[in-house]
Amino acid sequence: MYPSKKYPVRTAVVVWRRFLVFGLMFIMTGLATTKWIMSLPSDSSIYAKAGMIILFALTFGWIALFFLSSLFGFKELLFERPVPGLKIPAPDATMKTRTAILMPVYNESPRQVLGNLLAIAHDLAATPHAAHFDMFVLSDTTNPKCWIEEEAVWEKARTMMPEKIPLYYRRRVKNSARKSGNIEDFCQKWGRRYENMIVLDADSLMTAEAIIRMVFLMEANPDAGIMQAPPQSIKAKSLFARIQQFANKIYGPIVTAGLCYWQMGDSNYWGHNAIIRVQAFMDCCGLPVLPGKAPFGGFILSHDFVEAALIRRGGWTTWLLSGIEGSYEELPPTMIDFAARDRRWCQGNLQHLKIMLSKKLHYISRIHFTIGIMSYLSSALWFLFLVTGLAVALGHEFFPPTYFPQVRSLFPQWPIFDKVGTYFLFGFSLFMLLFPKILGLIIYKVKTRRTRGIFKSVISEMVISALIAPIMMLFQSKFIWDIITGHSISWNTQNRGDDGTSWKDAFRRHIWHTVLGVATTVIVYLYARSLFYWILPITTGLILSIPISVLSSRVSWGNWFKKRGYFLTLEEEHRPVIIDEAEKYCARLSIGAGTYDVGRLVCDPALHFLHISLLAVNGPAPVTDKGVLERASIKLENYIHHQVDLDLTTEEEMSLLYCPEVLGRGLIVWHLKKKA
């Protein structure tokens, strides 16, 4: 099956919707920028004026796009309008295709991952469509202990799976190209067996209803290559995560609906909780290795945007399904963890600068790349705008304007500055940032009829988010600078625990935020006092960045606010069954867990046999340094014969795990000594 060349949405509808959103954005930005030009001090240098005009236009345009998308999203949700061109399956439709549910993992907690998969599988088993699904754990794990635990927990989970849904496990020897390479490897080996694949993240959870609806939508729309279900945040415990979860629930739907309004069949892909047509992926998504060195070269980090663009270029449509419920994910628990994730995404999105000019890409795909880049670049632009404005104000203080020039004149040259116009632009920008939150609140109340704690939660979220915003601005500005200057990072496992941020870590990560906030406040107070109260909302968050980071990371503070009715979501008051089921299965998989290492392999015959049998399935072992293997073998012998601690390096432990001969001898000797 190949996509039809006929686009499912009438051209007039597409043009009109995009003209409304982007046309209004350019008109609003043009008018606001004109007013800004008229408001600037007349005695400022041409360079300062040019910088402030450009920075204002870019930042205002970004805010205007968000504002307009929210307005149209509000209208779509309020009147419950269907997405043009998306065919809805018949209520009595029968499932015809097979779907693989893929869980790519990289050094994650196997018990949580497989607990989630068990909950999904049993939810599907309660429907008549269970036989149409297979599940795969696709491991790229590099931690040897986590690797052993994955195998053990997978074997245990298999015994708990429903009869009609098999659960497979595969670990790659070399995790090239990260998640995109992991999915590509699956498609090359097993893809032809399935029409669709649902790609999850390690913390993803989806109800059977959501999954089945997505499959039926794919069957009803044979031109569709990707359908993305927006994930709802769940299980937040720390105060920071609870605030993000609440904002996602209240404001997220109108933003998503607004994106659907103008994207229609040219939507984006967010990397997980989405269904993909396997043929479209295999035909279109062989990702290149970008030329040059990291951070701009090498493997593509943010592969999802690129895969959506390539599938769209191949003639398939891509859809964002704003009406799908039952799609869940978890959030980073602390501000520092959130920033670490942002750092990876920032580098991945800036890589798209090399891709967005590729030939034959759909123009909306180029817009997606631009939006992704601007989502991080806007922080740096905002920071530069503030610095430039402050520099101009301080310049007037240190270098006062000359009112009476040396050339004879009857009148002094008074500088012109439209203070009222500046106040208006500031107020209107603030309105565009806050009003979508009010619209999200209205939709939430209309759809759920819920009012408990909602108003005080929205006000509190606005205040706390305003304090956090300048901290994230500086984080992201530094990310941009690091990437531009050639500093790359590795793609590490996301923290999903509840430990919180220590005062020491907060001091180390935020001290420069605090110093900058204090210094700016003092300088403005001494030399540009007219700006003091304007700059205070920004510098207050920076000055308090260390306690904000620490206290917002605490689960105890999250519970304190929860008990008083703050930041509650519908999923907390009426907890979805699948969340409880996932936690139940995770607890069952944790029974008798213990420590997983090479020592356990040589004393547990069942686990030893499982590991050796999977080695044969997962491909040839990598080449191991003989010296490393010899040192590891000696340590294993000392552990078996003399009960010496098995103090192996990661490299040594990996070498043993790939050597069945040494492990086999260790197993035999261990049990002979035990019998003796």
Side-chain angles (χ1 to χ4, degrees):
M1 180 197 305
Y2 289 91
S4 169
K5 293 184 179 180
K6 183 180 179 182
Y7 191 66
V9 188
R10 287 190 299 114
T11 304
V13 175
V14 176
V15 171
W16 173 245
R17 289 189 169 202
R18 291 171 186 172
F19 172 78
L20 274 178
V21 174
F22 289 96
L24 288 174
M25 181 196 77
F26 284 115
I27 291 171
M28 291 172 64
T29 304
L31 292 174
T33 304
T34 302
K35 182 63 179 175
W36 177 244
I37 293 171
M38 296 168 61
S39 302
L40 287 173
S42 59
D43 59 337
S44 297
S45 72
I46 186 66
Y47 301 108
K49 285 182 178 179
M52 294 197 71
I53 290 168
I54 293 170
L55 291 169
F56 176 86
L58 290 173
T59 52
F60 190 93
W62 177 248
I63 295 171
L65 179 59
F66 163 77
F67 173 73
L68 290 167
S69 292
S70 299
L71 282 183
F72 287 107
F74 172 77
K75 184 193 71 170
E76 294 297 294
L77 290 177
L78 190 63
F79 296 104
E80 298 183 343
R81 297 186 176 175
V83 180
L86 188 65
K87 298 176 183 176
I88 306 301
D92 58 346
T94 57
M95 193 172 291
K96 304 178 182 65
T97 55
R98 291 189 57 76
T99 300
I101 298 176
L102 310 183
M103 179 68 85
V105 293
Y106 176 74
N107 297 330
E108 301 284 353
S109 166
R111 284 163 279 178
Q112 179 178 338
V113 166
L114 285 154
N116 285 0
L117 281 181
L118 282 168
I120 296 171
H122 282 276
D123 204 23
L124 285 170
T127 74
H129 310 291
H132 292 264
F133 296 92
D134 292 347
M135 288 187 166
F136 291 80
V137 177
L138 305 176
S139 174
D140 264 351
T141 290
T142 56
N143 183 316
K145 293 179 174 57
C146 188
W147 174 13
I148 299 170
E149 185 178 2
E150 280 178 358
E151 294 175 338
V153 177
W154 165 72
E155 179 65 16
K156 189 173 183 179
R158 278 206 312 162
T159 65
M160 299 161 61
M161 285 287 291
E163 183 179 349
K164 292 184 179 180
I165 304 178
L167 175 63
Y168 301 102
Y169 172 83
R170 184 274 285 136
R171 178 183 173 276
R172 284 200 299 171
V173 173
K174 185 178 181 182
N175 60 341
S176 59
R178 301 177 177 84
K179 185 176 179 179
S180 62
N182 202 353
I183 301 298
E184 185 177 349
D185 178 79
F186 165 82
C187 289
Q188 290 172 351
K189 294 177 178 176
W190 299 286
R192 295 296 179 188
R193 302 179 184 181
Y194 304 94
E195 286 79 13
N196 311 307
M197 57 182 178
I198 292 176
V199 180
L200 304 175
D201 247 1
D203 58 1
S204 294
L205 192 60
M206 295 188 74
T207 62
E209 181 181 359
I211 290 172
I212 290 168
R213 187 178 175 192
M214 290 168 69
V215 173
F216 276 129
L217 281 168
M218 288 293 279
E219 292 183 348
N221 296 270
D223 294 330
I226 299 178
M227 290 189 178
Q228 173 71 62
Q232 170 64 44
S233 305
I234 56 169
K235 297 171 65 175
K237 297 179 181 178
S238 70
L239 177 59
F240 178 83
R242 288 186 55 75
I243 292 170
Q244 302 302 314
Q245 177 178 276
F246 176 79
N248 177 278
K249 182 65 177 180
I250 305 299
Y251 319 135
I254 66 165
V255 176
T256 302
L259 294 175
C260 291
Y261 176 81
W262 61 266
Q263 291 177 2
M264 290 174 283
D266 304 317
S267 294
N268 214 345
Y269 165 48
W270 300 344
H272 59 95
N273 292 40
I275 187 167
I276 304 175
R277 197 174 301 276
V278 174
Q279 181 185 331
F281 189 92
M282 294 177 69
D283 291 346
C284 305
C285 292
L287 297 186
V289 177
L290 298 179
K293 297 181 179 179
F296 289 101
F299 290 114
I300 296 173
L301 299 183
S302 293
H303 57 91
D304 39 13
F305 281 36
V306 181
E307 288 161 349
L310 294 176
I311 284 177
R312 185 66 194 91
R313 185 175 72 173
W316 304 88
T317 56
T318 54
W319 299 89
L320 178 59
L321 306 174
S322 63
I324 291 284
E325 295 183 354
S327 171
Y328 305 112
E329 67 174 353
E330 296 180 40
L331 288 166
T334 73
M335 191 191 309
I336 291 177
D337 291 316
F338 190 89
R341 187 183 69 173
D342 253 14
R343 174 63 177 84
R344 299 191 298 268
W345 288 358
C346 181
Q347 181 172 327
N349 277 269
L350 290 187
Q351 278 186 318
H352 296 162
L353 288 166
K354 283 192 170 185
I355 301 169
M356 62 185 299
L357 299 179
S358 301
K359 295 180 180 179
K360 298 182 180 180
L361 288 181
H362 194 278
Y363 75 94
I364 291 295
S365 297
R366 301 185 200 276
I367 291 176
H368 290 320
F369 288 137
T370 304
I371 290 174
I373 293 166
M374 277 298 297
S375 64
Y376 294 97
L377 200 59
S378 59
S379 289
L381 294 174
W382 182 30
F383 178 64
L384 289 175
F385 181 75
L386 293 173
V387 170
T388 305
L390 188 58
V392 169
L394 293 174
H396 280 79
E397 180 67 27
F398 290 112
F399 305 101
T402 303
Y403 302 131
F404 298 94
Q406 295 179 355
V407 179
R408 291 184 178 182
S409 175
L410 293 175
F411 304 100
Q413 295 180 358
W414 299 114
I416 300 172
F417 173 57
D418 185 0
K419 185 178 292 186
V420 174
T422 303
Y423 290 165
F424 169 78
L425 289 174
F426 174 80
F428 188 62
S429 299
L430 191 62
F431 168 78
M432 290 197 301
L433 287 170
L434 298 181
F435 188 62
K437 297 191 175 190
I438 305 302
L439 296 180
L441 174 61
I442 293 171
I443 289 296
Y444 187 70
K445 278 180 57 61
V446 168
K447 300 298 182 184
T448 65
R449 306 291 181 183
R450 177 184 172 276
T451 58
R452 182 191 169 195
I454 191 72
F455 295 107
K456 64 181 182 181
S457 296
V458 168
I459 298 299
S460 300
E461 186 276 331
M462 288 181 180
V463 172
I464 297 174
S465 293
L467 292 172
I468 291 175
I471 305 172
M472 295 308 301
M473 173 194 69
L474 290 187
F475 265 134
Q476 293 178 350
S477 298
K478 185 177 184 298
F479 299 160
I480 296 288
W481 175 254
D482 288 344
I483 293 166
I484 290 174
T485 54
H487 295 85
S488 183
I489 59 163
S490 58
W491 198 283
N492 297 318
T493 306
Q494 179 177 307
N495 177 28
R496 307 187 196 278
D498 299 317
D499 296 334
T501 301
S502 68
W503 287 98
K504 180 180 178 181
D505 287 341
F507 182 86
R508 181 174 56 86
R509 296 298 298 272
H510 295 289
I511 184 59
W512 68 284
H513 298 153
T514 305
V515 170
L516 184 60
V518 171
T520 303
T521 303
V522 172
I523 291 171
V524 169
Y525 183 79
L526 293 176
Y527 301 108
R529 196 165 298 182
S530 62
L531 296 178
F532 179 75
Y533 293 105
W534 291 97
I535 205 75
L536 202 57
I538 296 171
T539 56
T540 299
L542 297 178
I543 293 170
L544 299 176
S545 59
I546 293 175
I548 288 173
S549 183
V550 171
L551 298 179
S552 68
S553 74
R554 297 288 189 257
V555 173
S556 58
W557 276 70
N559 290 335
W560 189 90
F561 277 90
K562 182 179 180 180
K563 288 177 181 178
R564 286 155 181 80
Y566 285 86
F567 312 124
L568 293 173
T569 63
L570 192 64
E571 285 75 16
E572 290 181 304
E573 293 189 300
H574 304 284
R575 192 172 166 93
V577 174
I578 196 168
I579 299 177
D580 291 329
E581 289 296 302
E583 292 182 350
K584 180 187 74 175
Y585 286 116
C586 180
R588 288 178 60 183
L589 292 172
S590 300
I591 297 173
T595 302
Y596 291 93
D597 56 13
V598 170
R600 185 160 179 174
L601 277 183
V602 298
C603 64
D604 186 335
L607 186 57
H608 178 276
F609 176 78
L610 174 66
H611 175 75
I612 299 302
S613 62
L614 288 174
L615 282 180
V617 175
N618 289 330
V623 177
T624 303
D625 183 86
K626 291 184 179 179
V628 173
L629 182 58
E630 287 175 1
R631 291 195 302 272
S633 300
I634 292 171
K635 289 182 179 180
L636 182 60
E637 289 178 9
N638 288 333
Y639 169 76
I640 294 172
H641 290 285
H642 308 293
Q643 288 74 52
V644 177
D645 288 342
L646 194 58
D647 186 20
L648 297 167
T649 66
T650 298
E651 190 179 15
E652 290 169 347
E653 195 160 11
M654 291 296 282
S655 69
L656 288 175
L657 291 178
Y658 278 116
C659 189
E661 295 83 6
V662 175
L663 291 177
R665 287 198 303 269
L667 177 71
I668 293 171
V669 173
W670 175 273
H671 286 280
L672 287 175
K673 284 181 64 63
K674 188 177 180 181
K675 288 182 179 179

